[in-house]
């Protein structure tokens, strides 16, 4: 997506309107997924945006991009960062324990909003020109693809994750694409004495309406939706506020939503899928080894599009975005051209590199269905063995979906399990990773699952991986916490001079590789990959 356009746009082009509540806003952990896109949109729309980041993130590329966009970034959690002229504080709901910034905001009587409420205020202000992407999970690719295919210079977006070489947020007037997926960060319940006595959120009256809503999934996704009924009800509430709803028929839960929406008066329902009866029929979807070639049929016309993404599930999500654009009346030629430039989402089956015959691929998957789909896609990318490194996301999610997460690794040859990613300093209960391990052993067989423990006397995860990988292996690193640093460190470890004992180093890159920014490779003097070991104690 072309995010440089705003710098050269004519001065007469109106900016999107920022709600008064967010005119001088403070964002807690502004570089976190979901918050980054919100900050970029607000800054581009003319808001005075300040945000805090942890010390470990202060030199990251995300922080550099935020500063370049005009966001005032402060380092650390300090009550002195809050000003009396701030209009509101936005946080993602991730924080546990006492929090100086939130405590100070409450003392100053500043409105404190969750990210979802901030999005509601923005979309209410934007009016009916909003295109919503929603679901209980798995919306990132479709939302970024939709922003790309609608990017006519007058389209803005707020995304959970940016497209490769793109931005998570952009303000350019007119139409607004918003990813409403709740899955933006590791949400945990605050322990006793934590920052959980939240003041009442400000009232944002009314409900936003949407020109269209693309809904990808409705099933359970703890801790957001404990069961499929909760996910289905949330999707229906959002769908009924749209003029047109686009539903992919390859998702069984979305099929139930379609029945609900069509059994009584409501929005126009459009389907996209592999069935000739679908409104937008995906007639063909072929992996060439470099990209996907898809042919979509809509209103008696065929549209062939090249999708430079990896993974059939990501190609289908991009097809759903193309279908939504066609239904909205976009010029098919422009849609096809823009789709051909969309190379997927950052850290979503992204190649980090190859060292000594070992290829390392990154994944941001959280939900068991996302994990299973990425593992299956990795199998198509190599003739060697697939080694999956999984860092489960959150205690609450792993407790609810542990067995499903372990089963999702079934297409791998070997699995390595990292400690559960959580902001909790301690957890008094059974380690939920046990269920993941048992399910993975059942799916893969004995001797195929290794568990890496954290601690000062334990070898670094990259060292353990180096010892267990062989030339020709593909290592798929899945996780959204500390796992995001593991792939680059493994490559550094493989390429270090003391480890050049392998017979063949640095082979040509696979044909499916797409150039994308990669995280910097950390050196030997970098901080430890994992924090102090999670305290696990048996239940009382």
């Amino acid at each position: 997506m072309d995010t440089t356009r705003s710098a050269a746009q004519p001065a007469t082009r109106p900016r999107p309107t920022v709600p008064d509540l967010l005119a001088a806003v403070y964002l807690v952990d502004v570089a976190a997924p979901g918050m980054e896109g919100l900050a970029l949109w607000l800054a581009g729309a003319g808001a005075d945006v300040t945000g805090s980041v942890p010390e470990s993130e202060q030199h990251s590329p995300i922080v550099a991009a935020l500063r370049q966009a005009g966001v005032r970034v402060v380092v650390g959690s300090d009550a002195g960062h809050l000003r009396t002229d701030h209009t509101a504080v936005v946080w993602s709901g991730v924080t546990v324990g006492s929090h100086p910034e939130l405590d100070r905001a409450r003392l100053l009587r500043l409105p404190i909003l969750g990210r979802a409420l901030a999005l509601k205020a923005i979309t209410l202000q934007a009016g009916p020109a909003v295109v919503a992407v929603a679901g209980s999970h798995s919306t990132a690719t479709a939302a970024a693809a939709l922003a790309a295919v609608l990017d006519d210079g007058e389209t803005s977006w707020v995304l959970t994750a940016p497209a490769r070489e793109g931005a998570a947020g952009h303000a350019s007037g007119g139409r607004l694409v918003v990813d409403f997926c709740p899955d933006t960060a590791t949400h945990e319940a605050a322990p006793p004495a934590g920052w959980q006595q939240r003041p009442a959120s400000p009232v944002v009256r009314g409900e936003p309406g949407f020109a269209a809503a693309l809904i990808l999934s409705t099933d359970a996704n703890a801790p957001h939706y404990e069961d499929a009924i909760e996910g289905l009800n949330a999707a229906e509430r959002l769908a009924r506020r749209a003029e047109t709803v686009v539903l992919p028929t390859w998702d069984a839960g979305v099929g139930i939503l379609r029945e609900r929406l069509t059994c009584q008066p409501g929005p126009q329902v459009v389907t996209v899928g592999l069935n000739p009866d679908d409104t937008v029929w995906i007639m063909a979807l072929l992996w060439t080894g470099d990209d996907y070639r898809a042919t979509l049929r809509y209103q008696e016309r065929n549209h062939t599009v090249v999708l430079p993404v990896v993974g059939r599930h990501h190609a289908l999500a991009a097809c759903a975005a193309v279908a939504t654009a066609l239904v909205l009346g976009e010029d098919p030629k422009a849609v096809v051209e823009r789709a051909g430039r969309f190379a997927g989402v950052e850290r979503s089956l992204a190649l980090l590199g190859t060292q000594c015959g070992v290829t390392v691929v990154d994944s941001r998957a959280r939900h068991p269905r996302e994990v299973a789909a990425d593992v299956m896609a990795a199998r198509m990318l190599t003739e060697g063995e697939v080694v999956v490194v999984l860092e489960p996301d959150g205690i609450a999610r792993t407790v609810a979906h542990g067995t499903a997460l372990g089963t999702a690794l079934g297409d791998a040859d070997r699995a390595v399990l990292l400690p559960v990613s959580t902001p909790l300093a301690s957890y008094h209960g059974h380690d939920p990773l046990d269920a993941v391990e048992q399910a993975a052993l059942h799916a893969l067989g004995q001797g195929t699952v290794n568990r890496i423990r954290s601690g000062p006397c334990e070898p670094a995860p990259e060292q353990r991986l180096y010892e267990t990988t062989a030339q020709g292996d593909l290592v798929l690193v899945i996780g959204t916490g500390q796992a995001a640093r593991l792939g680059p460190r493994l490559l550094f470890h493989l390429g270090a001079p003391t480890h050049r004992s392998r017979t063949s180093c640095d082979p040509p890159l696979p044909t499916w590789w797409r150039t994308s920014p990669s995280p910097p490779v950390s050196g030997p003097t970098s901080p430890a990959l994992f924090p102090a070991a999670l305290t696990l104690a048996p239940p009382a």
Side-chain angles (χ1 to χ4, degrees), residues 144-158:
L146 187 54
V149 299
L150 294 180
D151 185 16
D152 56 356
E154 297 287 348
T155 298
S156 306
W157 57 82
V158 180

Side-chain angles (χ1 to χ4, degrees), residues 401-423:
H401 301 301
T403 299
L405 282 169
T407 303
L409 306 179
D411 279 320
D413 294 292
R414 285 170 286 146
V416 177
L417 303 180
L418 303 181
V420 177
S421 173
T422 176

